[in-house]
Amino acid sequence: MAHLDSNLAPLIASAARHLRNARGVVTVGDLLRMRPTRYLSYDSEVTELRDGEFVVLIGTIKSAHTRSMSTRKGSMLTAVLTDGHQDVDMTFFNARAHENKLLPGVRVIAGGQVGTYNHRRQLAHPGYTLLDEAAEAALPGLYPVYPAIPKLHNWNLVQAVGLVLDALGPLPDPLPAPLRSRHRLPGLGETLRMLHRPETRAEVARARERLRYEEALVLQTVLAQRRVQRAQEEAALAIAEGGPLLTAFTDRLPFTLTAGQEQVAGEIAADLASTVPMNRLLQGEVGSGKTVLALRAMLSAVDGGAQAALLAPTEVLATQHHRSITAMLGDLAEGGLLGGSEIGTRVVLLTGSQGSASRRRALADVVSGDAGIVIGTHALLQENVAFYNLGLVVVDEQHRFGVEQRDVLRGKASGTPHLLVMTATPIPRTIAMTVFGDMETSTLTELPAGRSPIQTFVVDEHRPGWLERTWARIGEECRAGRQAYVVCPRIGPGASGGESGGESGGDEEGEVDWFSDGFGQGEQAPARPEMIGVLETFEELSTEASLAGLRIGLLHGKLPTEEKDAVMRAFAAGELDVLVATTVIEVGVDVPNATVMVVRDADRFGVSQLHQLRGRVGRGGHPGLCLLATRAADGPAGERLTAVAATTDGFELAQLDLRQRREGDILGARQSGGRGRLQFLSLAHDEETIATARADAAELIAQDPDLSGHPELAGVIEEWLRREQADFLEKT
Ligand code: ADP
Ligand code: MG
């Protein structure tokens, strides 16, 4: 009798080889978890199908003729199949193999791709099975169609699955019985039967529902176990709130925290006060006041005798954080310096391109503990960076840092440091529960008072005069004393892949998505025009009459760091009116006087990314304006832009973004069909299932932390983790 982990090869010989080669399907369980993409009934109207579509018919052979062929050896058989309603030709080039079976009067079930020959619909080399009465009575009500596998006809696959199902012994069910009955889900054996041999569409739906839940439960149980394990790692330094540095900072803060900030500050303080290391995701739109909260946490750490590290995704952002944090702290950031505050600490910056003298000084401050707050890029992860006593790690814009990198930084602490991850990319709930499912989350939903709403419009560049009007609008705004951004998806013509800021997410050009992989899936029209770059736009604007006399700057990731820094500083100081930039300005850049943004070739950016970008304007008291210029206003890309223009709700847009992606991209896994990780669960659509499974998993792990009472579930999880590891190895 076969089990789910039985090898397929002895059961289905040659099919097993193709399945393994194409999909990595090796065991019975692998095969039975292949998801039919659709199901056919047997009554298709063949004339209504397109060539190449798969069809299954049950009928009687009406006539059969063999004739020799002029162009090749052998003979050809044409058998006419009738289902009582329509006639279809079945043709075979090796007549000998079939002419003794396909005799007039026999009943068959046949399936294959529809083609056209001499104006007649035909099935060339279809699969078929002769039917006796009993066999016909045993046919499933619907016929499954599986994802295409090279060299393996769907017909043979269905037969292979049938053989395997028939050989199957009783199946242990990974779903605990109480959960199964709570949610009224079918058992595994029944589920697999309904998936592969359904009588009705309702059975298919029931099977899928059960398998969706099972996937969600496995995923959530893994995460629940991780959370419990982390809580058991005693390690972190317990940091009490209300030390002198934090108090002094609070006293001099020129504003009061919003209610939302207060609440999140409380959540963070409670985490820090525990020896269970904090693992918290703080999400909130750009400008919602995350950095202030992170700084409070860092000051608490310093008060508690530890150091805090802030990791930023780019040098521009690290530098900006360093500047703004130093400014916010004032003399509190001059600890140990003459004239500095008694209770103050030192804030140092560590980046890759920093000069060796200043780097050496910074490293010394970090290792001696004189620097309480260390801000940097990936450079912080390097081996030669040693901390005196690292107690808190803040990561700004999580998506740029992998789990492994975070672990490196954790490894630099004697215990496990507390971890706070900040992201301005709104994260749909399903993603928060899965990709970030082992973290606690805090969300800032309101912006501090005094922010003006951003208005967004789509500018169709093909309409005469629209782009000129756009530049004129910038001119007006700048002459009124405001500033403007012009964002392009890449640096310039001839720039190699890595240099483009838009689609390929160059090294230094911030890419916003937490599961980045380009955007606009499936819309990649082959003949898209080349993307507009900042270099050409900069030239264009320099001679643009409506901008005459304005000071225009240029910023992109390939500029030397000092130059980038100088440009950014000049723009922040109001010494530049217009900044032409790649997405390097995307995350965290804060120039309150900037009120207009033009995005060129806006269709080349993802929905969330555009939302992120426009968060750069309207940060001061003046209303913000965002103009999405595009040469693709018609079609799906244009619709996406219209959606961005229609709402300022980042969560709504993130949800839209999510719907447009394939699940595999989201989990970062390469979906490889039969062995892919999520076959049934959709992160875009199954929020309720995920939430239910999350609660169930927490309950389960609380009662049975090592799953010793649930060996089947434990087995499935072990398999899952093994694959996750394999995926990871594949990626690196
Ligand atoms: P984020 O990191 O979420 O983008 P920041 O913490 O940088 O947001 O805050 C954006 C701006 O708003 C900063 O200039 C900050 O000083 C200011 N700010 C933060 N919280 C408040 C508040 N409660 N009231 C007024 N201004 C605030
Ligand atoms: Mg910020």
Side-chain angles (χ1 to χ4, degrees):
M1 223 179 278
H3 310 283
L4 287 180
D5 41 12
S6 304
N7 198 297
L8 280 172
L11 291 165
I12 54 172
S14 74
R17 199 177 59 240
H18 298 312
L19 282 163
R20 191 188 57 228
N21 292 343
R23 304 260 163 182
V25 167
V26 173
T27 65
V28 166
D30 294 339
L31 178 68
L32 294 183
R33 276 171 196 280
M34 280 190 57
R35 181 187 201 274
T37 43
R38 62 210 166 92
Y39 296 85
L40 300 176
S41 53
Y42 306 111
D43 54 4
S44 306
E45 291 280 352
V46 171
T47 48
E48 283 171 16
L49 300 178
R50 272 172 293 146
D51 280 2
E53 279 195 85
F54 195 84
V55 68
V56 177
L57 299 166
I58 299 173
T60 308
I61 300 298
K62 199 160 134 182
S63 62
H65 301 284
T66 300
R67 58 183 173 82
S68 52
M69 289 175 289
S70 48
T71 52
R72 53 162 117 183
K73 266 199 343 208
S75 52
M76 182 177 138
L77 173 73
T78 301
V80 180
L81 174 75
T82 180
D83 64 0
H85 171 70
Q86 58 192 338
D87 290 357
V88 180
D89 289 352
M90 295 162 62
T91 57
F92 301 88
F93 288 119
N94 46 344
R96 187 94 14 105
H98 304 281
E99 60 193 1
N100 296 332
K101 296 183 205 150
L102 293 173
L103 301 169
V106 302
R107 295 281 291 167
V108 300
I109 173 169
Q113 285 178 336
V114 179
T116 309
Y117 187 75
N118 271 350
H119 305 293
R120 279 176 69 87
R121 304 322 298 278
Q122 67 164 21
L123 304 176
H125 283 269
Y128 66 91
T129 306
L130 302 185
L131 295 171
D132 57 21
E133 234 165 86
E136 188 159 352
L139 283 178
L142 292 167
Y143 183 88
V145 179
Y146 295 89
I149 291 178
K151 301 198 189 107
L152 188 58
H153 198 291
N154 189 69
W155 192 259
N156 300 108
L157 189 51
V158 169
Q159 276 188 322
V161 170
L163 275 174
V164 167
L165 279 177
D166 288 339
L168 213 53
L171 291 182
D173 196 328
L175 282 192
L179 289 179
R180 222 168 54 212
S181 70
R182 182 188 301 172
H183 302 302
R184 299 208 181 83
L185 297 169
L188 184 57
E190 160 109 18
T191 298
L192 294 176
R193 199 275 301 158
M194 292 193 294
L195 185 70
H196 298 291
R197 284 176 174 170
E199 286 306 319
T200 60
R201 304 231 169 238
E203 285 195 343
V204 174
R206 240 170 103 57
R208 286 182 175 172
E209 183 192 0
R210 133 98 206 204
L211 291 164
R212 258 199 314 272
Y213 175 80
E214 184 181 320
E215 282 183 351
L217 187 76
V218 167
L219 186 58
Q220 293 301 332
T221 305
V222 171
L223 295 169
Q225 272 184 317
R226 279 190 195 154
R227 286 196 303 269
V228 168
Q229 268 160 17
R230 188 160 301 135
Q232 285 165 349
E233 287 168 21
E234 42 154 341
L237 178 71
I239 298 166
E241 210 187 18
L245 199 48
L246 179 60
T247 306
F249 173 72
T250 307
D251 287 346
R252 62 179 66 185
L253 203 59
F255 47 79
T256 51
L257 297 183
T258 63
Q261 281 174 316
E262 285 287 358
Q263 188 193 326
V264 173
E267 289 164 359
I268 293 173
D271 284 356
L272 290 177
S274 160
T275 53
V276 174
M278 171 165 74
N279 191 31
R280 184 169 289 278
L281 177 69
L282 170 54
Q283 48 174 340
E285 302 255 338
V286 168
S288 58
K290 299 180 297 297
T291 307
V292 179
L293 297 181
L295 181 54
R296 287 174 51 93
M298 292 192 276
L299 294 173
S300 274
V302 176
D303 276 335
Q307 288 168 293
L310 169 59
L311 262 116
T314 65
E315 294 205 355
V316 170
L317 289 175
T319 309
Q320 182 179 290
H321 271 309
H322 181 252
R323 200 158 45 229
S324 69
I325 285 176
T326 308
M328 269 198 271
L329 290 177
D331 69 344
L332 295 177
E334 294 168 9
L337 298 182
L338 208 58
S341 157
E342 294 266 301
I343 52 165
T345 186
R346 219 174 284 169
V347 182
V348 302
L349 178 67
L350 261 180
T351 65
S353 63
Q354 163 174 55
S356 64
S358 85
R359 182 173 172 79
R360 224 173 307 121
R361 231 175 306 123
L363 285 173
D365 280 350
V366 176
V367 75
S368 70
D370 287 348
I373 295 177
V374 185
I375 298 170
T377 55
H378 289 72
L380 273 182
L381 301 171
Q382 282 162 10
E383 251 166 57
N384 62 352
V385 180
F387 286 82
Y388 173 71
N389 181 18
L390 181 61
L392 167 68
V393 175
V394 178
V395 177
D396 190 11
E397 295 306 330
Q398 134 96 22
H399 52 275
R400 301 287 296 209
F401 292 94
V403 174
E404 315 87 61
Q405 289 162 315
R406 273 191 279 148
D407 287 345
V408 171
L409 205 51
R410 285 180 154 168
K412 291 179 180 294
S414 45
T416 305
H418 295 287
L419 176 66
L420 179 66
V421 174
M422 300 192 284
T423 176
T425 310
I427 298 179
R429 190 150 167 264
T430 52
I431 302 288
M433 287 189 295
T434 51
V435 181
F436 300 99
D438 58 345
M439 308 185 88
E440 309 297 328
T441 56
S442 296
T443 306
L444 290 173
T445 48
E446 49 179 344
L447 294 183
R451 291 283 153 68
S452 310
I454 301 168
Q455 281 204 302
T456 305
F457 298 98
V458 179
V459 175
D460 183 349
E461 284 200 26
H462 289 315
R463 298 224 198 168
W466 281 39
L467 195 58
E468 288 72 13
R469 289 241 315 269
T470 301
W471 303 139
R473 190 76 186 75
I474 286 191
E476 286 162 26
E477 202 72 15
C478 292
R479 294 208 167 81
R482 312 275 105 76
Q483 289 163 282
Y485 295 102
V486 178
V487 181
C488 305
R490 67 167 185 164
I491 296 174
S496 67
E499 287 180 48
S500 78
E503 280 186 307
S504 62
D507 181 45
E508 190 73 13
E509 318 295 314
E511 181 157 353
V512 73
D513 304 301
W514 63 90
F515 39 66
S516 60
D517 165 66
F519 12 78
Q521 292 274 356
E523 296 173 12
Q524 228 81 334
R528 288 168 107 183
E530 250 191 59
M531 289 184 285
I532 297 171
V534 283
L535 299 177
E536 44 194 304
T537 300
F538 181 71
E539 296 220 334
E540 193 182 335
L541 296 190
S542 306
T543 58
E544 173 65 42
S546 54
L547 301 181
L550 295 177
R551 297 156 301 176
I552 303 176
L554 175 66
L555 183 69
H556 59 76
K558 291 290 180 229
L559 292 175
T561 308
E562 312 81 68
E563 199 175 332
K564 270 190 289 197
D565 220 49
V567 171
M568 220 32 246
R569 214 172 1 235
F571 189 68
E575 291 156 13
L576 290 171
D577 301 298
V578 180
L579 185 61
V580 180
T582 55
T583 50
V584 74
I585 55 115
E586 190 167 50
V587 187
V589 172
D590 192 5
V591 180
N593 192 44
T595 51
V596 200
M597 172 176 288
V598 177
V599 183
R600 301 202 73 182
D601 278 346
D603 50 288
R604 301 302 182 96
F605 295 88
V607 163
S608 293
Q609 197 175 22
L610 289 172
H611 180 62
Q612 198 87 351
L613 277 168
R614 70 179 165 184
R616 314 276 102 247
V617 293
R619 291 171 70 92
H622 304 284
L625 175 66
C626 176
L627 300 170
L628 303 174
T630 177
R631 295 175 285 166
D634 307 318
E639 276 167 40
R640 268 189 309 137
L641 297 183
T642 308
V644 175
T647 180
T648 53
D649 183 337
F651 280 92
E652 197 180 302
L653 291 172
Q655 194 69 36
L656 180 70
D657 224 8
L658 182 54
R659 292 244 156 85
Q660 295 182 338
R661 288 164 196 277
R662 290 165 310 186
E663 310 298 332
D665 303 328
I666 296 164
L667 283 182
R670 276 183 216 160
Q671 286 292 80
S672 54
R675 304 268 285 192
R677 284 195 284 168
L678 289 186
Q679 296 252 25
F680 296 93
L681 189 69
S682 157
L683 296 189
H685 300 105
D686 296 331
E687 176 172 341
E688 210 175 310
T689 304
I690 294 170
T692 305
R694 186 171 180 79
D696 293 342
E699 189 185 306
L700 197 67
I701 290 301
Q703 290 161 2
D704 184 10
D706 58 358
L707 293 178
S708 52
H710 299 86
E712 286 86 14
L713 181 58
V716 172
I717 286 175
E718 207 174 292
E719 175 68 10
W720 172 284
L721 292 176
R722 208 175 53 64
R723 282 179 195 183
E724 191 177 55
Q725 214 161 24
D727 281 349
F728 174 69
L729 290 176
E730 213 177 284
K731 262 187 281 178
T732 49

